[in-house]
Amino acid sequence: MAGAPVKPTPLLKDELDIVIPTIRNLDFLEMWRPFFEQYHLIIVQDGDPSKTIKVPEGFDYELYNRNDINRILGPKASCISFKDSACRCFGYMVSKKKYIFTIDDDCFVAKDPSDKDINALEQHIKNLLSPATPHFFNTLYDPYREGADFVRGYPFSLREGVPTAVSHGLWLNIPDYDAPTQLVKPRERNSRYVDAVLTIPKGTLFPMCGMNLAFNRELIGPAMYFGLMGDGQPIGRYDDMWAGWCVKVICDHLGWGVKTGLPYIWHSKASNPFVNLKKEYKGIFWQEEIIPFFQSVVLPKECTTVQKCYIELSKLVKEKLGPVDPYFLKLSEAMVTWIEAWDELNSAGEDSNVPAKK
Amino acid sequence: MAGAPVKPTPLLKDELDIVIPTIRNLDFLEMWRPFFEQYHLIIVQDGDPSKTIKVPEGFDYELYNRNDINRILGPKASCISFKDSACRCFGYMVSKKKYIFTIDDDCFVAKDPSDKDINALEQHIKNLLSPATPHFFNTLYDPYREGADFVRGYPFSLREGVPTAVSHGLWLNIPDYDAPTQLVKPRERNSRYVDAVLTIPKGTLFPMCGMNLAFNRELIGPAMYFGLMGDGQPIGRYDDMWAGWCVKVICDHLGWGVKTGLPYIWHSKASNPFVNLKKEYKGIFWQEEIIPFFQSVVLPKECTTVQKCYIELSKLVKEKLGPVDPYFLKLSEAMVTWIEAWDELNSAGEDSNVPAKK
């Protein structure tokens, strides 16, 4: 209510892990130190396991390389991508926390229009702790933000909202463009700070970017699989997209919300558009079939857990996308392996079945 | 493309009418003079026809009061509300232009964060002239704005977009709240300038406010009926909501887009919440049934024009909402009368069958 004291955002120090796929840039953690130092980090090294990642003093972290993943998952390690940032999803699996924030190592602290450093994590926590409104659009955006509410004509029965499963943050400076757009607009920068958070409506898909992303692992974790990318795979740069399509369809089915908008991070450098084009090439074709597929997915009522939804989805992927390319048969199997591995590491009652390494 | 010269927005002077439901406030037109003077105004007087509305010198306008509406429409005038701003839709009907901008007389020129006066009409024109993207969500909002584009993972086959039928603008200062929210938050003001325009996804309904609204009359005009409100009716303040639900369902069916966001106007004063509560009272109950009804409407393929869609919708309203209250039987009939009157005044080839009055 206007004039009422603003409640401080809880830090969730013991309930949130930060997952980072490799750190090539030492400045990265230094820049985030004031915001990250009090959290536990899970670093998943995407490349050569013989290389050592240096983590500055003062951070609480665990680090996994390919050898660790192979050791922990055994043959099921096949579902985790190698030499690709998609490997980060291993970190979601080994975390024991309720919430995950994942960020790329070329994402720095952005400034808001008043030139103040943006605490991205705090905004993600706000987004995740307040409900979402997927069933009807609110024209003043997130009705739970200070100074906002539901507008005239918004049904009262929907004002409690639903639990928020995902908070998708955005990027100032280098926008998250595909290779063709990067090639055509090499100089375009995103300088528009849009001061909004909104719920993506039920039934609507969106391109989920993994650069600056938080989610409720207890709710949607098992669907946050970043697929098979990178080494030995015909495709890259669709890891987060794949997860986003699966997650959205499952959130819609289970009645949870996905928010997008604030917070911004500063995306410091554009990846090489030529390399990206090679990675994306097949995805650009395939997404024309994948998206109509996800738009038409109807999960049966019996799918009452994320795991059940995801296994059902894997069957549909095999059946409907298998004919597009044999890659989807492999991906469909990897989806099942992922769930098996998730359940193995996250079986009820157990709390420390993964030997962390520091 | 970044660095390319920005194309000026066409003024559409001969293609756009501004429709205003009554002007109680002489400051209103003076304040908008720099932006409105070059356009034709259609003023629809909502109250006592014996009262005279003073329009300052220099404006090109036509003015209709209840006597004019009765004279022009004859018995069909029954579909136009009396003593309620819903009467504005008569202005949509008598206009001969392609585009309509409608605005309330308590809406003034707002300022953007750089303290510059916002040319609301120019932004509406931008919104209407650029395509909409209802089939997939773009996380950087309107991809056709300068400095923005489609993000990675957005299907290329959808990047042409679809025609934009509606541009829904927002309000700084007094937010468009219902009476209960006004009563609970009497001091809340909207001071958040969200620098975004976005397409409301297909299949998602929204609360359309008539305070600051523009649309392509050639596309969607016949569905922009503001219903039966005010004098002799059991309900008020749902005129624009009703139009919004009908319009959105029909736009979804016919493949057109609805945008919301910029431009802002400055909404100067809150209407009386006690009066509003009386007007809204039944609507607050009814919307709990109306919205699920509109969410479930499926228009048959044979409905290939707005008129056909609207007549079909009127039948569904009678069938599905009639049992809620006899009001909806009357409204269903008025919807048919509205279309008949629209077609009478807008028959093909005729261009000046309405005697304007000045």
Side-chain angles (χ1 to χ4, degrees), chain B residues 219-254:
Chain B
L219 282 184
I220 199 67
M224 211 39 105
Y225 174 46
F226 272 41
L228 294 174
M229 304 282 145
D231 195 54
Q233 308 301 340
I235 183 175
R237 281 170 61 81
Y238 274 86
D239 49 346
D240 42 6
M241 298 298 141
W242 182 260
W245 298 322
C246 295
V247 158
K248 186 60 169 56
V249 160
I250 293 174
C251 282
D252 284 351
H253 176 73
L254 294 175

Side-chain angles (χ1 to χ4, degrees), chain A residues 130-133 136-151 154 158-159 161 197-199 259, chain B residues 177 185 188 192:
Chain A
S130 60
T133 53
F136 198 76
F137 189 87
N138 193 50
T139 51
L140 287 184
Y141 310 100
D142 188 342
Y144 305 106
R145 276 186 87 188
E146 269 168 74
D149 211 311
F150 293 95
V151 300
Y154 203 103
L158 296 177
R159 295 191 186 194
V197 177
L198 57 96
T199 298
K259 291 185 183 179
Chain B
Y177 286 165
K185 291 178 151 186
E188 190 152 292
R192 183 175 290 131

Side-chain angles (χ1 to χ4, degrees), chain B residues 158-290:
Chain B
L158 296 177
R159 295 192 186 194
E160 275 190 39
V162 305
T164 300
V166 176
S167 167
H168 177 262
L170 300 175
W171 344 277
L172 290 171
N173 194 36
I174 307 287
D176 186 30
Y177 286 165
D178 48 61
T181 308
Q182 280 185 295
L183 289 165
V184 172
K185 291 178 151 186
R187 302 181 65 177
E188 190 152 292
R189 298 293 178 267
N190 185 26
S191 57
R192 183 175 290 131
Y193 182 94
V194 175
D195 187 11
V197 177
L198 58 96
T199 298
I200 299 175
K202 184 177 176 180
T204 300
L205 294 176
F206 78 116
M208 188 180 82
C209 170
M211 261 196 272
N212 170 23
L213 179 72
F215 58 93
N216 183 325
R217 186 181 164 277
E218 266 181 25
L219 282 184
I220 199 67
M224 211 39 105
Y225 174 46
F226 272 41
L228 294 174
M229 304 282 145
D231 195 54
Q233 308 301 340
I235 183 175
R237 281 170 61 81
Y238 274 86
D239 49 346
D240 42 6
M241 298 298 141
W242 182 260
W245 298 322
C246 295
V247 158
K248 186 60 169 56
V249 160
I250 293 174
C251 282
D252 284 351
H253 176 73
L254 294 175
W256 301 327
V258 173
K259 291 185 183 178
T260 184
L262 301 183
Y264 285 94
I265 51 77
W266 179 265
H267 186 205
S268 63
K269 67 169 211 291
S271 42
N272 184 314
F274 299 97
V275 173
N276 290 347
L277 187 60
K278 201 175 159 190
K279 289 181 182 173
E280 287 173 9
Y281 170 77
K282 285 177 189 276
I284 286 172
F285 287 87
W286 289 346
Q287 71 187 358
E288 300 293 341
E289 313 224 25
I290 297 171

Side-chain angles (χ1 to χ4, degrees), chain A residues 142-351:
Chain A
D142 188 342
Y144 305 106
R145 276 186 87 188
E146 269 168 74
D149 211 311
F150 293 95
V151 300
R152 180 170 57 92
Y154 203 103
F156 281 83
S157 61
L158 296 177
R159 295 191 186 194
E160 275 189 40
V162 305
T164 300
V166 177
S167 167
H168 178 260
L170 300 176
W171 343 276
L172 289 171
N173 194 36
I174 308 288
D176 186 30
Y177 287 164
D178 47 61
T181 308
Q182 280 185 297
L183 289 164
V184 172
K185 292 178 152 185
R187 300 180 67 178
E188 190 153 291
R189 298 293 177 267
N190 185 26
S191 58
R192 184 175 288 132
Y193 182 94
V194 175
D195 187 11
V197 177
L198 57 96
T199 298
I200 299 174
K202 183 176 177 180
T204 300
L205 294 177
F206 77 115
M208 188 179 82
C209 170
M211 259 195 273
N212 171 23
L213 179 72
F215 58 93
N216 183 325
R217 185 181 164 278
E218 266 181 25
L219 281 184
I220 198 68
M224 211 38 104
Y225 174 46
F226 273 39
L228 295 173
M229 304 281 144
D231 195 55
Q233 307 302 339
I235 183 174
R237 280 170 61 82
Y238 274 86
D239 50 345
D240 43 5
M241 297 299 142
W242 182 260
W245 297 323
C246 295
V247 158
K248 187 59 169 58
V249 160
I250 293 174
C251 282
D252 283 351
H253 176 73
L254 294 176
W256 302 327
V258 173
K259 291 185 183 179
T260 185
L262 301 184
Y264 285 94
I265 51 77
W266 179 264
H267 186 205
S268 63
K269 67 170 210 293
S271 42
N272 183 316
F274 299 97
V275 173
N276 290 347
L277 187 59
K278 201 175 159 191
K279 289 181 182 174
E280 287 173 9
Y281 170 77
K282 285 176 189 274
I284 286 172
F285 286 87
W286 289 346
Q287 71 187 0
E288 299 293 342
E289 313 223 26
I290 297 172
I291 287 167
F293 160 71
F294 278 104
Q295 284 174 332
S296 70
V297 161
V298 180
L299 293 169
K301 272 189 193 168
E302 298 72 46
C303 292
T304 50
T305 66
V306 176
Q307 275 89 337
K308 284 181 189 169
C309 290
Y310 204 73
I311 294 294
E312 181 66 25
L313 210 47
S314 77
K315 290 180 197 159
L316 294 169
V317 165
K318 183 177 175 181
E319 181 192 329
K320 306 280 186 185
L321 295 178
V324 173
D325 194 277
Y327 167 74
F328 292 99
L329 301 175
K330 213 165 50 168
L331 180 55
S332 156
E333 285 168 24
M335 291 168 76
V336 177
T337 307
W338 160 263
I339 291 292
E340 288 168 357
W342 183 282
D343 284 345
E344 212 171 284
L345 295 190
N346 291 278
S347 38
E350 292 183 58
D351 203 44

